[in-house]
Amino acid sequence: MGNLLCCVQVDQSTVAIRERFGKFEEVLEPGCHCLPWFLGSQVVGHLSIRVQQLDVKCETKTKDNVFVNVVASIQYRALSDSASDAFYKLSNTRLQIQAYVFDVIRASVPKLILDDVFEQKNEIAKAVEDELEKAMSAYGYEIVQTLIVDIEPDSHVKQAMNEINAAARLRMAANERAEAEKILQIKRAEGEAEAKYLSGLGIARQRQAIVDGLRDSVLGFSVNVPGTTAKDVMDMVLVTQYFDTMKEIGAASKSSTVFIPHGPGAVRDVAAQIRDGLLQGSAHQH
């Protein structure tokens, strides 16, 4: 109906290319336009001036011989002022952009090792954008934004990188555990040394108290019972303690079997040994 009335409608965010007898005449902006077809005028195509996006996946190799897939996202749009160039000069815009992206990425990434590719992805994106802007401006296109959205190494390389990272973390954890165990052992040793020192002091004081008690008992008994010597009293005390010890060993429910010499001679030997030990301890104290 529009053609019959010599009118044509151009939608928003779109421009139309008008020719007359096969020759470009003008770019029609959005709105309604008179198109006298009987005078040879016709619309030969429409061109969107919206921002479009093209994702380009490029496989290349890094400086350290690792194959990676680099995904670049290109946002571009046709300029309404240069719509005729965009319409007539390029037959396939997306393939043209893709070719430039391949060229820049395959020229930039092989100069970098894999770690630097991840760190310098913004620089790679800027190089792609500069090259595209310089090339596509001649065809009536504007490069709005260029992003490197993904860098994916080969699956075996990725697995190896994960294993290296995991091994480093395990090594760090092992060092931390070893350091903690070292601190625990030092503290445990310090505690055991302190406990043994305090135990030694306690035993020494206990033995000193026993010696002092025996000495007082011997002196008191000698005074109260005339005719007895210190040796007699000491022997009686030691024999009494000997039998008390025997009684405690036999009364203990969980004690193991103990074989000890027993008899009058054995009692005399035990008394002599204890007496000698006490006398030597007294002599060392003086």
Side-chain angles (χ1 to χ4, degrees):
M1 182 66 69
N3 290 336
L4 293 176
L5 298 177
C6 298
C7 293
V8 66
Q9 174 183 311
V10 181
D11 296 333
Q12 186 66 36
S13 301
T14 306
V15 294
I17 304 301
R18 175 180 175 178
E19 291 182 353
R20 185 174 184 181
F21 295 116
K23 182 180 179 180
F24 170 73
E25 186 174 15
E26 66 175 330
V27 176
L28 302 180
E29 299 289 338
C32 185
H33 300 272
C34 181
L35 193 71
W37 55 268
F38 51 86
L39 296 179
S41 296
Q42 62 175 340
V43 172
V44 295
H46 293 78
L47 185 67
S48 174
I49 56 175
R50 293 178 179 177
V51 175
Q52 302 180 63
Q53 179 167 312
L54 172 64
D55 292 331
V56 180
K57 184 176 183 180
C58 176
E59 184 180 21
T60 185
K61 187 178 71 169
T62 63
K63 188 176 181 179
D64 48 350
N65 298 320
V66 177
F67 282 91
V68 293
N69 287 313
V70 180
V71 179
S73 180
I74 314 300
Q75 297 175 353
Y76 65 99
R77 68 184 181 94
L79 298 173
S80 58
D81 296 340
S82 305
S84 60
D85 291 336
F87 185 81
Y88 287 106
K89 289 186 177 181
L90 287 180
S91 60
N92 193 320
T93 306
R94 300 175 74 87
L95 283 179
Q96 184 79 5
I97 292 176
Q98 180 175 306
Y100 279 107
V101 172
F102 281 172
D103 181 65
V104 175
I105 289 179
R106 287 175 175 169
S108 302
V109 173
K111 298 177 182 178
L112 306 171
I113 64 174
L114 182 60
D115 291 340
D116 291 342
V117 173
F118 285 97
E119 294 177 1
Q120 300 183 26
K121 69 183 188 67
N122 291 335
E123 287 78 358
I124 297 174
K126 186 67 169 58
V128 173
E129 182 175 346
D130 292 344
E131 186 66 23
L132 283 175
E133 185 68 33
K134 182 169 58 177
M136 299 304 293
S137 60
Y139 300 108
Y141 282 91
E142 175 191 12
I143 304 301
V144 179
Q145 185 70 271
T146 301
L147 303 171
I148 301 298
V149 296
D150 191 18
I151 299 172
E152 185 178 357
D154 181 77
S155 59
H156 295 90
V157 176
K158 188 186 299 184
Q159 182 179 356
M161 293 173 66
N162 291 334
E163 290 176 356
I164 291 172
N165 187 277
R169 293 183 181 276
L170 288 174
R171 184 167 58 251
M172 186 181 302
N175 289 336
E176 293 295 332
R177 284 196 300 269
E179 189 65 25
E181 183 64 24
K182 175 183 175 183
I183 294 173
L184 288 175
Q185 290 180 357
I186 291 174
K187 293 299 181 183
R188 190 182 299 117
E190 291 176 352
E192 291 178 355
E194 184 68 18
K196 290 179 180 178
Y197 172 74
L198 295 176
S199 176
L201 289 179
I203 292 173
R205 291 173 181 173
Q206 179 187 26
R207 290 175 177 175
Q208 182 62 41
I210 292 173
V211 171
D212 294 340
L214 289 174
R215 184 187 301 113
D216 294 341
S217 297
V218 170
L219 292 176
F221 198 87
S222 300
V223 172
N224 294 326
V225 182
T228 59
T229 64
K231 179 179 179 300
D232 298 332
V233 177
M234 191 67 179
D235 290 340
M236 184 182 66
V237 171
L238 292 177
V239 170
T240 302
Q241 289 185 342
Y242 174 80
F243 283 110
D244 289 342
T245 302
M246 295 288 292
K247 178 181 178 182
E248 290 178 1
I249 293 175
S253 60
K254 295 182 180 180
S255 60
S256 302
T257 303
V258 179
F259 294 95
I260 58 174
H262 183 65
V267 174
R268 184 176 63 253
D269 294 340
V270 171
Q273 292 175 10
I274 296 176
R275 189 187 313 111
D276 293 342
L278 290 175
L279 292 176
Q280 291 177 3
S282 178
H284 285 306
Q285 291 177 0
H286 293 295

